[in-house]
Amino acid sequence: MPIEEVCDSVSAEDDAKKGPDVPFLLEECVKEKVPWKEVLKKKVGKKCSCSSARVKALVIDSIPIVKWLPRYQFKDWIIGDAMSGLIVGILLVPQSIAYSLLAEQDPIYGLYTSFFASIIYTLLGTSRHISVGIFGVLCLLVGQVVDRELTLAGYPSDTNQTTLVNVDNSTGPICDRSCYAVMVAATLTFTAGVYQVLMGLLQVGFVAVYLSDSLLSGFATGASLTILTSQIKYFLGLHLPRVQGWGSLIKTWISLFKNLGHTNLCDLVTSVLCLLVLVPTKELNDRFKAKLKAPIPFELFVVIAATLASHFGQFEETYGSDVSGNIPTGFMPPQLPNWSLIPNIAVDAFSIAIVGFAITVSLSEMFAKKHGYMVDPNQEMYAIGFCNIIPSFFRCFTTSAALTKTLVKESTGCQTQISGLVTALVLLLVLLVIAPAFYSLQKCVLAVIIVVNLRGALRKFGDIPQMWRVNRLDTIIWLITMATSALVNTELGLLVGVLVSAFCVLGRTQSAQVRQLGQAGDRELFEDLASYKGLQSQAGVAVFRYEAPIYYANQALFKKSLYRNVGLDPLKEKARRRKLDKQRNQKQDGEDKKQEMDVSTNVYLLQLNSLHTLVIDCSPVLFLDTAGVNALKEVCKGYKELGVNVLLARCNTSVIDSLQRGGYYDQKKGIKDIQFHTLSDAVSYAQSLKSQNGDCDTVV
């Protein structure tokens, strides 16, 4: 006999012995259990070991510039880095001065902040492209805290007042309003930086994944509306206190309308002229950015022209325009934070720390994917943390990555963070030489620069219809976060956005449904009968899939959905039978009693004759908790009493372990040794069962 025929006959004999009722089995690997003490000892020893190689690796990981600077390709990269650093530095000069206004700080401190942040991130950051410095949303949050603390400390709301107040600080100064505002901002920045470094030490960089793009976008847009509203008073030249508390946006607009009669015409005309120049020129920059090697710094041109006009026209003396005032040169000696303020601003600092880190990591990962390299979220946490801690001693305020400047940096040929050092050199030149020249610059011009840079966030309102078509749930998260941030409270908007996102994720598991599956011909392919045509169901066997984990929050929904799709609820069926039995016992007439019993039996058998086995596809079930295991046990027990077998198929190892620990199996019968790795095996096993109403052999 030929070898092929011998092999065929052997294979046929094996198949005959095996039969369709014996599923294919995989032998599980025996997992070696290591005592937790040994695991802990090993990890502690690894972390605490000290060697020259470990010290070197620790330094390289902590200061990434040590790793990439020796490999810097000077000839290929220096031109792009120098160009991008120069352009970003030029753009940062007017923006740093402008955003100081938003943070309730003097202009010089915005320049300090951008200078120190550029240097520190160059040393510690892992992204090659992002620009770290002043960011509008964080400036708004800082300004709100500063204004609140100034009010609590008893300073007058008018920013021109210089009332002196004793401040309990280690340095013991007597501060005017400006000095105390700087102290509050620096302490807030220090505390936020400490939070970020602690989160880095605890390796919690993963928290950024819980802040979705729709949440961050909605938060930024809502904050942008608040920023826009806060700058209108400078447009009009009004001296109004910043409104605190919930609903500040609406209250601010009411206050603005009440005080329109006090508008400074000089500031209003200047604001309109600057808007008429900056808005079209910004649009031209955006439209022709592909053709331009670098964006034209129209903001700087406007600042220079407005400063000259204000100086020679004597706008402050003649028309009472509010100007930037004296901007000193050089650096001030370092100063410790005011430790007594930390309890007051600890909660605010935490929200600022989360926002700053989330924005920085989101931007760094976005540009890393675009250019094909990796960033370390935990190292980014360290980097942005020290960008806040160290500058806080030099009276700086909170920083993070900024999208607009990062896009400019990338589009002008940036290759590494050497461009950040070039930006720092530009700012250093301004700090040492040029800063006093901006004395006559009107604050309304700075407000116009802030508002014009909000265009990108405000354009999101035009994208709402497209967002709704793409994903309605994300749009709802965006709308709720935006509305809460703008109309209620900025910090509360972030918290509400996180909670809404979490409830939406939870809601998706709550809205999951049991789907009845059919087989596609002879293939081992089972899909939803309601979604595809031509699928076939097996006689006496129903296959269902639940597309979510089964846990305490949705176990009741799982059972309800399963019973509804099967068409037979064990609890209701048993209750119906008990009711009929009670009615039969109350009948005295023998013939009536026999007739009623026959009707009940016929109804019950009609429901079960078409179904003897229920197969549950557990492939989408990622995990089970105790409530989930108990739900499956209840389903099995309920159908067992009605003579319906329940089989579980395609369970992952985590689910199998949960079932074993939860006592789902009957250990005496050894059912746990049978596992259905495919739906075809489960269906074949179900069809081979001899009795339709026998015992419920539940297997995995």
Side-chain angles (χ1 to χ4, degrees):
M1 180 181 294
I3 296 178
E4 292 81 357
E5 295 181 9
V6 173
C7 293
D8 290 341
S9 64
V10 172
S11 178
E13 291 176 3
D14 291 342
D15 290 341
K17 292 178 181 178
K18 183 177 180 181
D21 58 335
V22 181
F24 175 77
L25 299 179
L26 288 174
E27 185 177 357
E28 295 184 12
C29 296
V30 179
K31 299 178 181 178
E32 182 180 357
K33 294 184 178 180
V34 182
W36 66 270
K37 292 183 179 179
E38 293 186 11
V39 175
L40 181 61
K41 182 179 179 181
K42 185 177 180 181
K43 289 185 176 181
V44 171
K46 184 178 179 181
K47 293 290 184 182
C48 298
S49 62
C50 184
S51 64
S52 58
R54 177 161 178 77
V55 171
K56 181 180 178 181
L58 183 62
V59 171
I60 291 176
D61 291 340
S62 302
I63 310 177
I65 192 174
V66 176
K67 183 177 182 180
W68 61 260
L69 187 59
R71 299 200 299 265
Y72 187 79
Q73 300 177 22
F74 189 84
K75 293 182 179 179
D76 296 332
W77 295 348
I78 189 61
I79 295 178
D81 284 342
M83 177 63 71
S84 63
L86 179 63
I87 295 298
V88 172
I90 293 172
L91 293 176
L92 268 177
V93 172
Q95 289 186 12
S96 297
I97 297 174
Y99 282 109
S100 300
L101 191 70
L102 189 59
E104 292 284 344
Q105 304 294 297
D106 293 334
I108 188 66
Y109 301 114
L111 295 171
Y112 286 162
T113 301
S114 297
F115 171 76
F116 285 110
S118 298
I119 295 177
I120 296 171
Y121 188 82
T122 299
L123 300 175
L124 302 179
T126 58
S127 173
R128 302 175 190 172
H129 294 89
I130 66 171
S131 175
V132 174
I134 292 179
F135 182 59
V137 175
L138 291 183
C139 291
L140 172 69
L141 297 177
V142 171
Q144 289 176 340
V145 176
V146 169
D147 194 71
R148 184 193 69 203
E149 292 302 317
L150 287 172
T151 303
L152 293 176
Y155 287 94
S157 59
D158 189 351
T159 57
N160 291 327
Q161 295 291 334
T162 58
T163 304
L164 300 182
V165 175
N166 290 322
V167 177
D168 183 15
N169 190 26
S170 58
T171 57
I174 299 180
C175 277
D176 61 6
R177 191 178 195 278
S178 175
C179 168
Y180 194 73
V182 171
M183 187 182 300
V184 173
T187 305
L188 180 67
T189 300
F190 173 82
T191 310
V194 170
Y195 280 137
Q196 290 166 335
V197 171
L198 288 176
M199 287 188 285
L201 289 173
L202 297 174
Q203 303 288 295
V204 293
F206 64 88
V207 297
V209 302
Y210 294 103
L211 302 177
S212 64
D213 292 340
S214 58
L215 186 154
L216 289 175
S217 176
F219 173 72
T221 305
S224 297
L225 291 176
T226 305
I227 294 171
L228 172 65
T229 301
S230 69
Q231 299 307 298
I232 298 299
K233 66 179 182 180
Y234 297 107
F235 273 52
L236 304 175
L238 299 175
H239 294 276
L240 301 176
R242 185 187 295 228
V243 179
Q244 291 287 339
W246 290 12
S248 59
L249 182 140
I250 298 175
K251 294 176 182 177
T252 301
W253 279 107
I254 293 174
S255 177
L256 287 170
F257 283 118
K258 287 182 178 179
N259 291 275
L260 281 178
H262 300 92
T263 299
N264 187 303
L265 293 179
C266 179
D267 286 343
L268 178 60
V269 171
T270 303
S271 300
V272 172
L273 290 176
C274 291
L275 278 174
L276 292 176
V277 173
L278 282 179
V279 171
T281 53
K282 282 280 191 177
E283 292 297 328
L284 287 175
N285 263 340
D286 292 343
R287 179 168 297 184
F288 297 104
K289 62 182 178 181
K291 297 180 180 180
L292 294 173
K293 293 183 178 180
I296 303 173
F298 290 108
E299 289 175 345
L300 186 61
F301 299 157
V302 168
V303 165
I304 294 172
T307 303
L308 292 174
S310 176
H311 175 73
F312 291 105
Q314 298 183 342
F315 290 170
E316 182 184 15
E317 296 81 0
T318 306
Y319 304 105
S321 292
D322 201 3
V323 298
S324 298
N326 183 46
I327 303 178
T329 57
F331 293 90
M332 300 179 185
Q335 176 179 313
L336 290 174
N338 188 336
W339 309 114
S340 62
L341 279 174
I342 292 180
N344 296 349
I345 50 88
V347 175
D348 305 285
F350 183 75
S351 62
I352 288 174
I354 293 296
V355 173
F357 166 68
I359 292 171
T360 301
V361 170
S362 300
L363 287 179
S364 60
E365 288 186 343
M366 180 176 72
F367 284 92
K369 290 177 182 178
K370 183 176 180 179
H371 293 276
Y373 62 91
M374 299 291 292
V375 293
D376 183 358
N378 287 309
Q379 181 60 32
E380 290 294 295
M381 187 85 83
Y382 288 127
I384 200 65
F386 283 110
C387 281
N388 288 322
I389 291 177
I390 298 175
S392 69
F393 294 101
F394 296 91
R395 301 169 177 83
C396 298
F397 48 91
T398 316
T399 59
S400 73
L403 177 60
T404 304
K405 291 183 285 291
T406 300
L407 290 172
V408 171
K409 196 172 182 179
E410 182 209 25
S411 64
T412 50
C414 172
Q415 298 293 332
T416 68
Q417 284 298 333
I418 291 296
S419 61
L421 296 179
V422 177
T423 298
L425 288 175
V426 175
L427 294 171
L428 181 63
L429 177 64
V430 175
L431 284 167
L432 296 179
V433 180
I434 306 175
F438 296 107
Y439 176 92
S440 298
L441 178 62
Q442 294 167 273
K443 288 186 177 180
C444 64
V445 177
L446 301 178
V448 170
I449 292 174
I450 292 173
V451 171
V452 170
N453 281 294
L454 297 177
R455 293 172 305 124
L458 298 178
R459 281 174 179 164
K460 287 289 184 180
F461 287 102
D463 298 335
I464 292 177
Q466 176 65 18
M467 292 166 57
W468 183 261
R469 288 191 293 268
V470 173
N471 192 309
R472 296 184 178 182
L473 198 58
D474 284 347
T475 308
I476 291 173
I477 294 173
W478 187 92
L479 289 171
I480 293 176
T481 306
M482 181 275 299
T484 308
S485 300
L487 301 177
V488 183
N489 182 273
T490 308
E491 295 91 341
L492 183 64
L494 182 64
L495 177 61
V496 169
V498 172
L499 293 177
V500 171
S501 297
F503 281 118
C504 286
V505 173
L506 184 63
R508 289 178 179 178
T509 65
Q510 294 292 304
S511 62
Q513 298 292 326
V514 172
R515 309 291 184 186
Q516 185 171 3
L517 307 183
Q519 188 172 9
D522 296 330
R523 297 178 177 85
E524 294 187 1
L525 176 63
F526 290 79
E527 288 297 339
D528 182 20
L529 284 171
S531 300
Y532 298 95
K533 298 179 180 180
L535 299 179
Q536 302 173 357
S537 56
Q538 305 296 327
V541 181
V543 183
F544 293 93
R545 174 189 295 155
Y546 188 65
E547 299 176 341
I550 304 175
Y551 62 110
Y552 70 94
N554 69 350
Q555 52 88 19
L557 177 66
F558 160 73
K559 291 185 293 184
K560 181 179 179 181
S561 181
L562 179 65
Y563 295 157
R564 183 176 64 250
N565 280 272
V566 173
L568 182 62
D569 186 333
L571 296 178
K572 292 182 179 179
E573 177 60 29
K574 286 186 287 186
R576 188 184 67 84
R577 293 176 65 186
R578 285 194 298 269
K579 181 178 180 181
L580 291 177
D581 289 341
K582 183 178 180 180
Q583 292 177 354
R584 286 197 302 268
N585 292 333
Q586 293 175 352
K587 298 290 185 181
Q588 299 298 325
D589 190 348
E591 292 182 359
D592 293 342
K593 181 178 180 181
K594 183 176 183 301
Q595 183 179 3
E596 181 66 25
M597 182 177 61
D598 290 341
V599 171
S600 172
T601 304
N602 289 337
V603 171
Y604 174 65
L605 291 179
L606 283 175
Q607 289 180 329
L608 294 183
N609 276 339
S610 59
L611 178 66
H612 60 78
T613 303
L614 175 64
V615 178
I616 301 178
D617 179 10
C618 296
S619 57
V621 180
L622 300 180
F623 63 87
L624 293 172
D625 66 355
T626 303
V629 174
N630 290 335
L632 287 174
K633 290 166 69 174
E634 184 178 338
V635 168
C636 172
K637 180 181 178 182
Y639 280 118
K640 177 181 178 180
E641 294 174 353
L642 300 180
V644 178
N645 300 285
V646 178
L647 311 179
L648 306 183
R650 302 210 298 178
C651 297
N652 62 48
T653 55
S654 173
V655 170
I656 293 174
D657 291 342
S658 298
L659 292 172
Q660 290 176 348
R661 291 193 301 268
Y664 181 82
Y665 303 107
D666 186 346
Q667 302 292 341
K668 296 180 180 180
K669 294 183 179 180
I671 300 174
K672 65 176 183 177
D673 295 329
I674 303 177
Q675 300 177 9
F676 295 112
H677 299 291
T678 67
L679 289 175
S680 297
D681 281 350
V683 172
S684 298
Y685 180 85
Q687 290 175 332
S688 68
L689 295 177
K690 296 180 180 179
S691 174
Q692 293 183 356
N693 295 323
D695 292 337
C696 177
D697 297 333
T698 51
V699 293
V700 178

